[in-house]
């Protein structure tokens, strides 16, 4: 409502529809583990599995499946290629 300057019923409907289709812009939270969708191109080596550490408005801080790798910042829209596999 606030960010989109929308009336409450419209904002609620858009949010509800987004949640029902699993829109990552609405559902992403720290602690989630997301895996690259089958058939999606691996954006970079080691990025097939992501652990969400922190979320900003349009950026995510993620840990990769390689424990020795540093955390990375990726755009929120990149999650379109990933599916939620675990939510801690």
């Amino acid at each position: 409502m606030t960010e989109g300057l929308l009336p409450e019923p419209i904002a609620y409907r858009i949010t509800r529809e987004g949640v029902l289709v699993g829109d990552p812009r609405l559902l992403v939270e720290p602690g989630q583990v997301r895996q690259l969708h089958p058939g999606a191109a691996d954006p970079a080596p080691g990025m097939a599995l992501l652990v969400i550490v922190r979320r900003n408005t349009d950026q995510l801080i993620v840990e990769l499946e390689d424990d020795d790798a540093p955390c990375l910042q990726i755009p929120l829209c990149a999650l379109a290629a990933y599916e939620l596999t675990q939510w801690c």
Side-chain angles (χ1 to χ4, degrees):
M1 263 175 37
T2 305
E3 291 177 17
L5 301 175
L6 298 171
E8 184 177 347
I10 294 172
Y12 176 76
R13 180 180 50 81
I14 291 170
T15 301
R16 188 180 61 138
E17 289 170 359
V19 168
L20 289 174
V21 298
D23 186 338
R25 294 172 298 166
L26 298 173
L27 296 177
V28 66
E29 290 289 334
Q32 290 180 349
V33 177
R34 292 180 172 259
Q35 185 171 353
L36 198 62
H37 284 294
D42 194 351
M47 287 192 64
L49 188 70
L50 304 176
V51 178
I52 310 300
V53 175
R54 194 172 336 139
R55 175 189 177 166
N56 297 327
T57 304
D58 59 352
Q59 297 287 313
L60 298 170
I61 305 298
V62 299
E63 291 178 348
L64 304 178
E65 56 188 317
D66 178 2
D67 290 337
D68 295 330
C71 290
L72 295 176
Q73 184 169 317
I74 64 170
L76 181 58
C77 62
L79 282 188
Y82 293 82
E83 61 188 355
L84 180 63
T85 57
Q86 185 178 2
W87 197 337
C88 300

